[in-house]
Amino acid sequence: MRIDIVAAVPSLLNSFLGHSIIQRARDKGLLTINIIDLRSYGLGKNRQIDDYQFGGGAGMVLMIEPLVNCIEDLKAANQYDQIIYVTPDGKKFDQSMANSMSLLNNILIICGHYKGIDQRIREHYITHEISIGDYVISGGELAAAIIADAVGRLVPGVLNDETSALSDSFQDKLLAPPVYTRPATFNGWDVPNILLSGHEKKIDEWRFEESLRRTQMLRPDLLEE
């Protein structure tokens, strides 16, 4: 799988995507993530990528020309299944969306910055708009990193035990059950006996019941959906 990310501040992405599971996936050749510095397409000697918005108002906007030149260059070399813009007014990102995206081959993610990108880019190039939540952060780089991580870890072969992802929160619209590890007793606090029983079917039933209980208590909205 290939994920290209166009960013005004690429350094925000390098550390996040250069460690742990995602880096191991990149090292194995299972996942390719390219971070493209939008400023390399900037205009003039100062590599300008932003300007004041028409109509007045506070905040700068990423200019249309550098973004178009960048996107056209990338499209000439790659056929993208989706061109994504991360924005607070996009569709809310969730696990089912991550599952679907993990089956794609090529994704291009455009990171906004400042007040966002010129609307004409959204109208003529963007195929999907995604939000990671109902709040505003300084730029789309961190949102793009979250999407890349959530999707990349689902690519076949990335996780050592692929069944691990199936038990993550939200996979079945339920929160994950509690988890425990050694020692079985610490400070008088005991691990539930069922987990020490070795009875796989009963353990599975306990985990499902705990997932349901936790979801009812903490996220009843998931059950309503």
Side-chain angles (χ1 to χ4, degrees):
M1 181 180 196
R2 177 190 178 105
I3 302 176
D4 291 341
I5 304 175
V6 177
V9 189
S11 57
L12 290 174
L13 291 160
N14 290 326
S15 177
F16 188 100
L17 298 173
H19 297 279
S20 192
I21 291 172
I22 295 302
Q23 183 57 50
R24 292 198 294 273
R26 298 170 78 179
D27 291 341
K28 291 178 182 178
L30 299 171
L31 180 64
T32 299
I33 300 180
N34 300 306
I35 303 169
I36 297 94
D37 186 353
L38 180 60
R39 199 164 291 279
S40 65
Y41 290 86
L43 307 180
K45 64 179 182 179
N46 293 324
R47 296 292 184 181
Q48 182 182 359
I49 59 173
D50 63 323
D51 208 339
Y52 296 103
Q53 54 183 312
F54 283 125
M60 306 292 278
V61 177
L62 291 182
M63 300 164 65
I64 188 169
E65 189 173 349
L67 268 173
V68 166
N69 291 340
C70 178
I71 294 170
E72 288 291 347
D73 270 2
L74 292 169
K75 286 182 64 180
N78 305 282
Q79 185 173 353
Y80 292 105
D81 301 302
Q82 295 183 4
I83 300 179
I84 297 165
Y85 175 50
V86 283
T87 171
D89 55 1
K91 182 177 180 181
K92 188 76 67 68
F93 186 66
D94 61 15
Q95 189 62 47
S96 63
M97 195 182 301
N99 292 343
S100 297
M101 291 171 64
S102 71
L103 302 176
L104 303 177
N105 293 316
N106 295 314
I107 298 172
L108 173 60
I109 303 177
I110 308 297
C111 301
H113 212 74
Y114 315 114
K115 292 296 284 188
I117 65 176
D118 190 295
Q119 178 65 24
R120 290 167 289 186
I121 296 289
R122 300 172 73 167
E123 293 171 353
H124 295 283
Y125 287 99
I126 303 301
T127 64
H128 295 72
E129 298 192 347
I130 295 176
S131 167
I132 60 167
D134 295 338
Y135 48 85
V136 176
I137 55 179
S138 298
E141 288 84 1
L142 296 181
I146 287 170
I147 293 169
D149 185 279
V151 173
R153 66 190 298 276
L154 297 174
V155 172
V158 169
L159 297 179
N160 290 332
D161 182 355
E162 293 182 10
T163 62
S164 174
L166 299 178
S167 60
D168 287 342
S169 290
F170 308 113
Q171 281 290 9
D172 296 316
K173 294 294 184 181
L174 296 175
L175 300 182
V179 293
Y180 301 84
T181 189
R182 295 173 178 81
T185 299
F186 180 79
N187 281 353
W189 307 329
D190 296 326
V191 170
N193 287 330
I194 184 64
L195 297 179
L196 308 176
S197 70
H199 197 301
E200 187 174 342
K201 181 179 179 181
K202 289 184 177 180
I203 291 173
D204 287 342
E205 290 173 351
W206 179 89
R207 284 175 170 161
F208 174 75
E209 290 169 0
E210 284 297 304
S211 290
L212 188 60
R213 182 187 65 81
R214 284 171 56 82
T215 306
Q216 287 173 331
M217 180 174 63
L218 301 174
R219 290 292 305 276
D221 57 296
L222 294 175
L223 298 177
E224 292 171 4
E225 292 177 8

